[in-house]
PDB file of all heavy atoms in Angstrom:
ATOM      1  N   ILE A 175       5.382  42.474  17.286  1.00  0.00           N
ATOM      2  CA  ILE A 175       5.485  42.163  18.703  1.00  0.00           C
ATOM      3  C   ILE A 175       6.910  42.365  19.207  1.00  0.00           C
ATOM      4  O   ILE A 175       7.138  42.967  20.264  1.00  0.00           O
ATOM      5  CB  ILE A 175       5.029  40.720  18.964  1.00  0.00           C
ATOM      6  CG1 ILE A 175       3.537  40.581  18.687  1.00  0.00           C
ATOM      7  CG2 ILE A 175       5.357  40.291  20.387  1.00  0.00           C
ATOM      8  CD1 ILE A 175       3.046  39.154  18.663  1.00  0.00           C
ATOM      9  N   SER A 176       7.871  41.866  18.446  1.00  0.00           N
ATOM     10  CA  SER A 176       9.264  41.954  18.867  1.00  0.00           C
ATOM     11  C   SER A 176       9.717  43.388  19.059  1.00  0.00           C
ATOM     12  O   SER A 176      10.379  43.727  20.048  1.00  0.00           O
ATOM     13  CB  SER A 176      10.158  41.256  17.836  1.00  0.00           C
ATOM     14  OG  SER A 176      11.517  41.366  18.199  1.00  0.00           O
ATOM     15  N   LEU A 177       9.353  44.251  18.129  1.00  0.00           N
ATOM     16  CA  LEU A 177       9.780  45.650  18.226  1.00  0.00           C
ATOM     17  C   LEU A 177       9.189  46.312  19.470  1.00  0.00           C
ATOM     18  O   LEU A 177       9.861  47.096  20.149  1.00  0.00           O
ATOM     19  CB  LEU A 177       9.364  46.404  16.964  1.00  0.00           C
ATOM     20  CG  LEU A 177      10.076  45.965  15.681  1.00  0.00           C
ATOM     21  CD1 LEU A 177       9.500  46.702  14.473  1.00  0.00           C
ATOM     22  CD2 LEU A 177      11.580  46.193  15.761  1.00  0.00           C
ATOM     23  N   ASN A 178       7.944  45.995  19.779  1.00  0.00           N
ATOM     24  CA  ASN A 178       7.310  46.565  20.969  1.00  0.00           C
ATOM     25  C   ASN A 178       7.919  46.015  22.254  1.00  0.00           C
ATOM     26  O   ASN A 178       8.101  46.748  23.225  1.00  0.00           O
ATOM     27  CB  ASN A 178       5.802  46.291  20.942  1.00  0.00           C
ATOM     28  CG  ASN A 178       5.046  47.250  20.050  1.00  0.00           C
ATOM     29  OD1 ASN A 178       4.709  48.354  20.454  1.00  0.00           O
ATOM     30  ND2 ASN A 178       4.793  46.831  18.816  1.00  0.00           N
ATOM     31  N   VAL A 179       8.225  44.741  22.243  1.00  0.00           N
ATOM     32  CA  VAL A 179       8.836  44.130  23.426  1.00  0.00           C
ATOM     33  C   VAL A 179      10.232  44.694  23.661  1.00  0.00           C
ATOM     34  O   VAL A 179      10.634  44.981  24.796  1.00  0.00           O
ATOM     35  CB  VAL A 179       8.876  42.596  23.266  1.00  0.00           C
ATOM     36  CG1 VAL A 179       9.736  41.955  24.366  1.00  0.00           C
ATOM     37  CG2 VAL A 179       7.468  42.017  23.310  1.00  0.00           C
ATOM     38  N   LYS A 180      10.975  44.862  22.573  1.00  0.00           N
ATOM     39  CA  LYS A 180      12.350  45.375  22.683  1.00  0.00           C
ATOM     40  C   LYS A 180      12.366  46.780  23.267  1.00  0.00           C
ATOM     41  O   LYS A 180      13.288  47.156  24.007  1.00  0.00           O
ATOM     42  CB  LYS A 180      13.021  45.369  21.316  1.00  0.00           C
ATOM     43  CG  LYS A 180      13.263  43.997  20.741  1.00  0.00           C
ATOM     44  CD  LYS A 180      14.383  43.265  21.461  1.00  0.00           C
ATOM     45  CE  LYS A 180      15.731  43.813  21.068  1.00  0.00           C
ATOM     46  NZ  LYS A 180      16.832  43.077  21.719  1.00  0.00           N
ATOM     47  N   GLU A 181      11.367  47.583  22.924  1.00  0.00           N
ATOM     48  CA  GLU A 181      11.297  48.948  23.465  1.00  0.00           C
ATOM     49  C   GLU A 181      11.188  48.941  24.984  1.00  0.00           C
ATOM     50  O   GLU A 181      11.588  49.897  25.646  1.00  0.00           O
ATOM     51  CB  GLU A 181      10.111  49.693  22.861  1.00  0.00           C
ATOM     52  CG  GLU A 181      10.303  50.080  21.401  1.00  0.00           C
ATOM     53  CD  GLU A 181       9.098  50.808  20.835  1.00  0.00           C
ATOM     54  OE1 GLU A 181       8.094  50.971  21.588  1.00  0.00           O
ATOM     55  OE2 GLU A 181       9.146  51.223  19.662  1.00  0.00           O
ATOM     56  N   ARG A 182      10.654  47.840  25.534  1.00  0.00           N
ATOM     57  CA  ARG A 182      10.498  47.732  26.982  1.00  0.00           C
ATOM     58  C   ARG A 182      11.703  47.077  27.644  1.00  0.00           C
ATOM     59  O   ARG A 182      11.720  46.905  28.872  1.00  0.00           O
ATOM     60  CB  ARG A 182       9.237  46.923  27.309  1.00  0.00           C
ATOM     61  CG  ARG A 182       7.938  47.486  26.727  1.00  0.00           C
ATOM     62  CD  ARG A 182       7.545  48.780  27.406  1.00  0.00           C
ATOM     63  NE  ARG A 182       7.235  48.552  28.810  1.00  0.00           N
ATOM     64  CZ  ARG A 182       6.013  48.294  29.268  1.00  0.00           C
ATOM     65  NH1 ARG A 182       4.986  48.255  28.425  1.00  0.00           N
ATOM     66  NH2 ARG A 182       5.797  48.110  30.552  1.00  0.00           N
ATOM     67  N   GLY A 183      12.700  46.683  26.847  1.00  0.00           N
ATOM     68  CA  GLY A 183      13.883  46.042  27.400  1.00  0.00           C
ATOM     69  C   GLY A 183      13.641  44.627  27.890  1.00  0.00           C
ATOM     70  O   GLY A 183      14.347  44.126  28.773  1.00  0.00           O
ATOM     71  N   ILE A 184      12.645  43.963  27.294  1.00  0.00           N
ATOM     72  CA  ILE A 184      12.282  42.599  27.687  1.00  0.00           C
ATOM     73  C   ILE A 184      12.831  41.619  26.660  1.00  0.00           C
ATOM     74  O   ILE A 184      12.789  41.875  25.456  1.00  0.00           O
ATOM     75  CB  ILE A 184      10.753  42.459  27.785  1.00  0.00           C
ATOM     76  CG1 ILE A 184      10.196  43.428  28.833  1.00  0.00           C
ATOM     77  CG2 ILE A 184      10.349  41.023  28.114  1.00  0.00           C
ATOM     78  CD1 ILE A 184       8.691  43.562  28.793  1.00  0.00           C
ATOM     79  N   VAL A 185      13.345  40.486  27.118  1.00  0.00           N
ATOM     80  CA  VAL A 185      13.866  39.462  26.211  1.00  0.00           C
ATOM     81  C   VAL A 185      12.701  38.803  25.473  1.00  0.00           C
ATOM     82  O   VAL A 185      11.679  38.450  26.080  1.00  0.00           O
ATOM     83  CB  VAL A 185      14.673  38.401  26.986  1.00  0.00           C
ATOM     84  CG1 VAL A 185      15.115  37.274  26.053  1.00  0.00           C
ATOM     85  CG2 VAL A 185      15.881  39.047  27.653  1.00  0.00           C
ATOM     86  N   PHE A 186      12.863  38.634  24.163  1.00  0.00           N
ATOM     87  CA  PHE A 186      11.805  38.027  23.349  1.00  0.00           C
ATOM     88  C   PHE A 186      12.299  36.754  22.680  1.00  0.00           C
ATOM     89  O   PHE A 186      13.294  36.758  21.961  1.00  0.00           O
ATOM     90  CB  PHE A 186      11.309  39.008  22.290  1.00  0.00           C
ATOM     91  CG  PHE A 186      10.174  38.457  21.463  1.00  0.00           C
ATOM     92  CD1 PHE A 186       9.009  38.024  22.067  1.00  0.00           C
ATOM     93  CD2 PHE A 186      10.267  38.376  20.085  1.00  0.00           C
ATOM     94  CE1 PHE A 186       7.961  37.505  21.318  1.00  0.00           C
ATOM     95  CE2 PHE A 186       9.230  37.866  19.325  1.00  0.00           C
ATOM     96  CZ  PHE A 186       8.068  37.432  19.944  1.00  0.00           C
ATOM     97  N   HIS A 187      11.577  35.663  22.936  1.00  0.00           N
ATOM     98  CA  HIS A 187      11.867  34.364  22.327  1.00  0.00           C
ATOM     99  C   HIS A 187      10.699  33.941  21.455  1.00  0.00           C
ATOM    100  O   HIS A 187       9.533  34.144  21.814  1.00  0.00           O
ATOM    101  CB  HIS A 187      12.092  33.300  23.400  1.00  0.00           C
ATOM    102  CG  HIS A 187      12.025  31.892  22.873  1.00  0.00           C
ATOM    103  ND1 HIS A 187      10.985  31.025  23.164  1.00  0.00           N
ATOM    104  CD2 HIS A 187      12.875  31.200  22.054  1.00  0.00           C
ATOM    105  CE1 HIS A 187      11.195  29.866  22.560  1.00  0.00           C
ATOM    106  NE2 HIS A 187      12.326  29.947  21.879  1.00  0.00           N
ATOM    107  N   THR A 188      11.006  33.358  20.310  1.00  0.00           N
ATOM    108  CA  THR A 188       9.956  32.795  19.465  1.00  0.00           C
ATOM    109  C   THR A 188      10.279  31.367  19.083  1.00  0.00           C
ATOM    110  O   THR A 188      11.417  31.041  18.712  1.00  0.00           O
ATOM    111  CB  THR A 188       9.730  33.642  18.193  1.00  0.00           C
ATOM    112  OG1 THR A 188       8.644  33.084  17.434  1.00  0.00           O
ATOM    113  CG2 THR A 188      10.970  33.696  17.320  1.00  0.00           C
ATOM    114  N   ASP A 189       9.293  30.509  19.213  1.00  0.00           N
ATOM    115  CA  ASP A 189       9.381  29.134  18.745  1.00  0.00           C
ATOM    116  C   ASP A 189       9.013  29.152  17.265  1.00  0.00           C
ATOM    117  O   ASP A 189       7.839  29.267  16.909  1.00  0.00           O
ATOM    118  CB  ASP A 189       8.424  28.265  19.552  1.00  0.00           C
ATOM    119  CG  ASP A 189       8.410  26.806  19.103  1.00  0.00           C
ATOM    120  OD1 ASP A 189       8.847  26.518  17.978  1.00  0.00           O
ATOM    121  OD2 ASP A 189       7.943  25.952  19.878  1.00  0.00           O
ATOM    122  N   ALA A 190      10.019  29.052  16.419  1.00  0.00           N
ATOM    123  CA  ALA A 190       9.806  29.110  14.968  1.00  0.00           C
ATOM    124  C   ALA A 190       9.935  27.736  14.327  1.00  0.00           C
ATOM    125  O   ALA A 190      10.215  27.623  13.129  1.00  0.00           O
ATOM    126  CB  ALA A 190      10.800  30.079  14.329  1.00  0.00           C
ATOM    127  N   VAL A 191       9.718  26.693  15.116  1.00  0.00           N
ATOM    128  CA  VAL A 191       9.889  25.329  14.625  1.00  0.00           C
ATOM    129  C   VAL A 191       9.016  25.058  13.400  1.00  0.00           C
ATOM    130  O   VAL A 191       9.465  24.434  12.437  1.00  0.00           O
ATOM    131  CB  VAL A 191       9.595  24.321  15.760  1.00  0.00           C
ATOM    132  CG1 VAL A 191       9.424  22.914  15.209  1.00  0.00           C
ATOM    133  CG2 VAL A 191      10.720  24.350  16.790  1.00  0.00           C
ATOM    134  N   GLN A 192       7.759  25.523  13.412  1.00  0.00           N
ATOM    135  CA  GLN A 192       6.888  25.274  12.264  1.00  0.00           C
ATOM    136  C   GLN A 192       7.078  26.292  11.148  1.00  0.00           C
ATOM    137  O   GLN A 192       6.738  26.023  10.001  1.00  0.00           O
ATOM    138  CB  GLN A 192       5.420  25.280  12.710  1.00  0.00           C
ATOM    139  CG  GLN A 192       5.028  24.103  13.581  1.00  0.00           C
ATOM    140  CD  GLN A 192       5.124  22.773  12.851  1.00  0.00           C
ATOM    141  OE1 GLN A 192       5.166  22.699  11.621  1.00  0.00           O
ATOM    142  NE2 GLN A 192       5.155  21.690  13.622  1.00  0.00           N
ATOM    143  N   ALA A 193       7.603  27.456  11.470  1.00  0.00           N
ATOM    144  CA  ALA A 193       7.711  28.524  10.473  1.00  0.00           C
ATOM    145  C   ALA A 193       8.976  28.452   9.630  1.00  0.00           C
ATOM    146  O   ALA A 193       8.955  28.762   8.432  1.00  0.00           O
ATOM    147  CB  ALA A 193       7.644  29.886  11.172  1.00  0.00           C
ATOM    148  N   ALA A 194      10.078  28.066  10.248  1.00  0.00           N
ATOM    149  CA  ALA A 194      11.368  28.095   9.554  1.00  0.00           C
ATOM    150  C   ALA A 194      11.335  27.225   8.300  1.00  0.00           C
ATOM    151  O   ALA A 194      10.916  26.072   8.335  1.00  0.00           O
ATOM    152  CB  ALA A 194      12.477  27.627  10.488  1.00  0.00           C
ATOM    153  N   GLY A 195      11.760  27.790   7.202  1.00  0.00           N
ATOM    154  CA  GLY A 195      11.804  27.063   5.944  1.00  0.00           C
ATOM    155  C   GLY A 195      10.511  27.095   5.156  1.00  0.00           C
ATOM    156  O   GLY A 195      10.498  26.729   3.975  1.00  0.00           O
ATOM    157  N   LYS A 196       9.412  27.530   5.793  1.00  0.00           N
ATOM    158  CA  LYS A 196       8.117  27.587   5.108  1.00  0.00           C
ATOM    159  C   LYS A 196       7.740  29.018   4.738  1.00  0.00           C
ATOM    160  O   LYS A 196       7.022  29.234   3.758  1.00  0.00           O
ATOM    161  CB  LYS A 196       7.023  26.987   5.990  1.00  0.00           C
ATOM    162  CG  LYS A 196       7.229  25.517   6.313  1.00  0.00           C
ATOM    163  CD  LYS A 196       6.195  25.031   7.305  1.00  0.00           C
ATOM    164  CE  LYS A 196       6.487  23.609   7.746  1.00  0.00           C
ATOM    165  NZ  LYS A 196       5.588  23.146   8.831  1.00  0.00           N
ATOM    166  N   ILE A 197       8.178  29.965   5.547  1.00  0.00           N
ATOM    167  CA  ILE A 197       7.966  31.386   5.269  1.00  0.00           C
ATOM    168  C   ILE A 197       9.281  32.112   5.518  1.00  0.00           C
ATOM    169  O   ILE A 197      10.124  31.634   6.275  1.00  0.00           O
ATOM    170  CB  ILE A 197       6.846  31.991   6.153  1.00  0.00           C
ATOM    171  CG1 ILE A 197       7.181  31.811   7.638  1.00  0.00           C
ATOM    172  CG2 ILE A 197       5.502  31.369   5.810  1.00  0.00           C
ATOM    173  CD1 ILE A 197       6.187  32.490   8.571  1.00  0.00           C
ATOM    174  N   PRO A 198       9.499  33.262   4.883  1.00  0.00           N
ATOM    175  CA  PRO A 198      10.760  33.990   5.100  1.00  0.00           C
ATOM    176  C   PRO A 198      10.902  34.451   6.554  1.00  0.00           C
ATOM    177  O   PRO A 198       9.941  34.923   7.166  1.00  0.00           O
ATOM    178  CB  PRO A 198      10.640  35.184   4.146  1.00  0.00           C
ATOM    179  CG  PRO A 198       9.624  34.770   3.132  1.00  0.00           C
ATOM    180  CD  PRO A 198       8.649  33.899   3.859  1.00  0.00           C
ATOM    181  N   ILE A 199      12.103  34.315   7.090  1.00  0.00           N
ATOM    182  CA  ILE A 199      12.430  34.781   8.436  1.00  0.00           C
ATOM    183  C   ILE A 199      13.715  35.582   8.356  1.00  0.00           C
ATOM    184  O   ILE A 199      14.704  35.129   7.769  1.00  0.00           O
ATOM    185  CB  ILE A 199      12.595  33.605   9.416  1.00  0.00           C
ATOM    186  CG1 ILE A 199      11.235  32.934   9.687  1.00  0.00           C
ATOM    187  CG2 ILE A 199      13.234  34.057  10.721  1.00  0.00           C
ATOM    188  CD1 ILE A 199      11.321  31.727  10.585  1.00  0.00           C
ATOM    189  N   ASP A 200      13.709  36.755   8.957  1.00  0.00           N
ATOM    190  CA  ASP A 200      14.908  37.602   9.016  1.00  0.00           C
ATOM    191  C   ASP A 200      15.034  38.143  10.436  1.00  0.00           C
ATOM    192  O   ASP A 200      14.406  39.136  10.786  1.00  0.00           O
ATOM    193  CB  ASP A 200      14.799  38.749   8.009  1.00  0.00           C
ATOM    194  CG  ASP A 200      16.085  39.567   7.920  1.00  0.00           C
ATOM    195  OD1 ASP A 200      16.958  39.417   8.805  1.00  0.00           O
ATOM    196  OD2 ASP A 200      16.214  40.370   6.981  1.00  0.00           O
ATOM    197  N   VAL A 201      15.826  37.466  11.250  1.00  0.00           N
ATOM    198  CA  VAL A 201      15.937  37.862  12.650  1.00  0.00           C
ATOM    199  C   VAL A 201      16.598  39.223  12.813  1.00  0.00           C
ATOM    200  O   VAL A 201      16.350  39.931  13.789  1.00  0.00           O
ATOM    201  CB  VAL A 201      16.701  36.803  13.471  1.00  0.00           C
ATOM    202  CG1 VAL A 201      15.890  35.523  13.581  1.00  0.00           C
ATOM    203  CG2 VAL A 201      18.078  36.521  12.879  1.00  0.00           C
ATOM    204  N   ALA A 202      17.439  39.599  11.857  1.00  0.00           N
ATOM    205  CA  ALA A 202      18.091  40.907  11.941  1.00  0.00           C
ATOM    206  C   ALA A 202      17.057  42.025  11.851  1.00  0.00           C
ATOM    207  O   ALA A 202      17.176  43.056  12.515  1.00  0.00           O
ATOM    208  CB  ALA A 202      19.124  41.047  10.827  1.00  0.00           C
TER     209      ALA A 202
END
Side-chain angles (χ1 to χ4, degrees):
I175 293 169
S176 178
L177 293 175
N178 280 277
V179 170
K180 293 288 285 182
E181 288 180 358
R182 302 291 295 268
I184 300 168
V185 175
F186 183 57
H187 164 251
T188 183
D189 178 341
V191 166
Q192 291 296 342
K196 298 174 186 174
I197 58 175
I199 290 177
D200 186 346
V201 292

